[in-house]
């Protein structure tokens, strides 16, 4: 008999993780060849703790990852995307199911490139049937992309620029009131390099010529901070 899949559910809303858990249990009841050992984390910090513990003991096989998580207490992990990158590094054979309420095309493109999940589902598309189909596909023959993600992929532009960890930290620090001349104290770049990145970000978000407030407001709306 196949060993149970070790599953970690990461979402800051307990109602969501309860739905995931019940769906996994229903799938296991209907298919006796599938078993799931389920663990839950409702914050970045708890997820990091469980990931580190699993690295020492037995790794997770499947992770459900909410992108819209608040940052960790030490601000080293700024949200679900950073957490996904960490998980991908820690567990080479992991299967990541990303779920998010963000349906912005640029955010979806960045997650696909930076995290490379086996499944990507927007919460606007999510039903019990879609969730069941997602889990079965990830176990048997990934990848799985929900309807909204597929539309984005079909319309994806040729722009190769991706907002990376440094860019997100620039946005995060500026949103917390850090001044540009203070950023070299917390990020490993010169002020000139940081200014150049900010100019590119303004171009990407189409707020070139406007102030930082417009950049940060749009970045927040799109889920980058």
């Amino acid at each position: 008999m196949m060993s149970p899949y070790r599953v970690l559910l990461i979402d800051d809303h307990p109602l969501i993780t309860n739905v995931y858990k019940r769906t996994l249990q229903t799938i296991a009841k209907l298919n006796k060849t599938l078993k799931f050992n389920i663990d839950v984390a409702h914050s970045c910090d708890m997820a990091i703790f469980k990931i580190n513990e699993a690295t020492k003991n037995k790794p997770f096989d499947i992770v459900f990852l909410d992108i819209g998580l608040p940052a960790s207490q030490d601000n080293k992990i700024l949200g679900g995307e950073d957490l996904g990158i960490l998980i991908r590094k820690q567990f080479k054979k992991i299967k990541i199911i990303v779920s998010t309420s963000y349906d912005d095309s640029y955010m979806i493109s960045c997650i696909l490139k930076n995290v490379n999940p086996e499944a990507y589902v927007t919460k606007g598309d999510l039903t019990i049937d879609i969730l069941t189909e997602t889990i079965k596909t990830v176990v048997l023959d990934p990848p799985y992309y929900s309807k909204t993600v597929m539309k984005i992929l079909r319309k994806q532009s040729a722009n190769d620029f991706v907002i990376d960890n440094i860019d997100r930290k620039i946005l995060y620090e500026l949103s917390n009131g850090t001044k540009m001349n203070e950023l070299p104290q917390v990020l490993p770049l010169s002020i000139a390099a940081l200014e150049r990145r900010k100019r590119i970000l303004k171009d990407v978000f189409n707020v070139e010529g406007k102030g930082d407030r417009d950049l940060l407001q749009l970045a927040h709306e799109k889920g980058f901070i």
Side-chain angles (χ1 to χ4, degrees), residues 174 177-186 191 194-195 198:
L174 291 175
T178 306
K179 306 298 183 184
M180 281 300 296
N181 60 5
E182 297 171 337
L183 283 180
Q185 300 172 30
V186 292
I191 189 67
L194 291 164
E195 289 282 5
K198 189 173 77 168

Side-chain angles (χ1 to χ4, degrees), residues 88-120:
R88 185 62 76 193
K89 288 179 180 177
Q90 294 283 79
F91 308 114
K92 300 303 180 186
K93 296 182 179 180
I94 196 81
K95 293 181 178 180
I96 299 175
I97 298 174
V98 162
S99 65
T100 178
S101 56
Y102 301 119
D103 57 5
D104 175 77
S105 60
Y106 200 76
M107 167 62 85
I108 289 174
S109 297
C110 286
I111 297 299
L112 289 172
K113 290 182 180 180
N114 292 334
V115 179
N116 190 26
E118 279 66 30
Y120 198 132

Side-chain angles (χ1 to χ4, degrees), residues 4-218:
Y5 289 93
R6 291 201 71 209
V7 181
L8 178 60
L9 311 178
I10 307 173
D11 197 296
D12 57 340
H13 294 94
L15 285 175
I16 298 294
T17 54
N18 285 340
V19 170
Y20 293 161
K21 188 173 183 178
R22 287 198 300 270
T23 304
L24 286 162
Q25 291 169 340
T26 299
I27 291 172
K29 285 181 182 178
L30 296 174
N31 188 336
K32 301 302 182 183
T33 65
L34 293 177
K35 299 293 181 184
F36 303 102
N37 287 341
I38 304 168
D39 208 343
V40 179
H42 291 135
S43 68
C44 269
D45 291 289
M46 180 55 67
I48 292 166
F49 173 79
K50 291 181 181 292
I51 289 163
N52 289 335
E53 287 297 302
T55 303
K56 297 174 188 175
N57 301 305
K58 188 178 179 183
F60 289 107
D61 301 298
I62 301 171
V63 171
F64 286 70
L65 176 63
D66 175 29
I67 293 301
L69 289 169
S72 60
Q73 289 186 358
D74 61 9
N75 290 329
K76 290 183 178 179
I77 299 293
L78 300 181
E81 185 175 346
D82 282 353
L83 196 57
I85 294 170
L86 173 65
I87 291 168
R88 185 62 76 193
K89 288 179 180 177
Q90 294 283 79
F91 308 114
K92 300 303 180 186
K93 296 182 179 180
I94 196 81
K95 293 181 178 180
I96 299 175
I97 298 174
V98 162
S99 65
T100 178
S101 56
Y102 301 119
D103 57 5
D104 175 77
S105 60
Y106 200 76
M107 167 62 85
I108 289 174
S109 297
C110 286
I111 297 299
L112 289 172
K113 290 182 180 180
N114 292 334
V115 179
N116 190 26
E118 279 66 30
Y120 198 132
V121 184
T122 60
K123 290 182 178 177
D125 293 336
L126 201 56
T127 64
I128 294 299
D129 288 342
I130 293 297
L131 180 57
T132 301
E133 185 179 354
T134 301
I135 295 167
K136 289 180 178 179
T137 302
V138 165
V139 169
L140 300 173
D141 187 25
Y144 181 89
Y145 303 128
S146 69
K147 179 175 66 176
T148 299
V149 178
M150 287 302 299
K151 286 181 179 178
I152 297 299
L153 290 175
R154 291 190 186 105
K155 296 178 180 179
Q156 198 170 31
S157 71
N159 186 357
D160 290 331
F161 179 80
V162 175
I163 293 178
D164 62 16
N165 187 52
I166 294 292
D167 295 318
R168 291 198 306 278
K169 285 184 176 177
I170 290 172
L171 294 168
Y172 180 79
E173 290 294 338
L174 291 175
S175 71
N176 281 339
T178 306
K179 306 298 183 184
M180 281 300 296
N181 60 5
E182 297 171 337
L183 283 180
Q185 300 172 30
V186 292
L187 295 171
L189 292 174
S190 67
I191 189 67
L194 291 164
E195 289 282 5
R196 183 167 58 252
R197 279 180 175 260
K198 189 173 77 168
R199 284 197 301 272
I200 293 172
L201 287 168
K202 285 188 173 183
D203 182 56
V204 168
F205 287 113
N206 197 28
V207 292
E208 191 174 4
K210 298 182 179 180
D212 290 355
R213 182 178 180 180
D214 296 276
L215 170 64
L216 297 173
Q217 181 176 345
L218 197 55

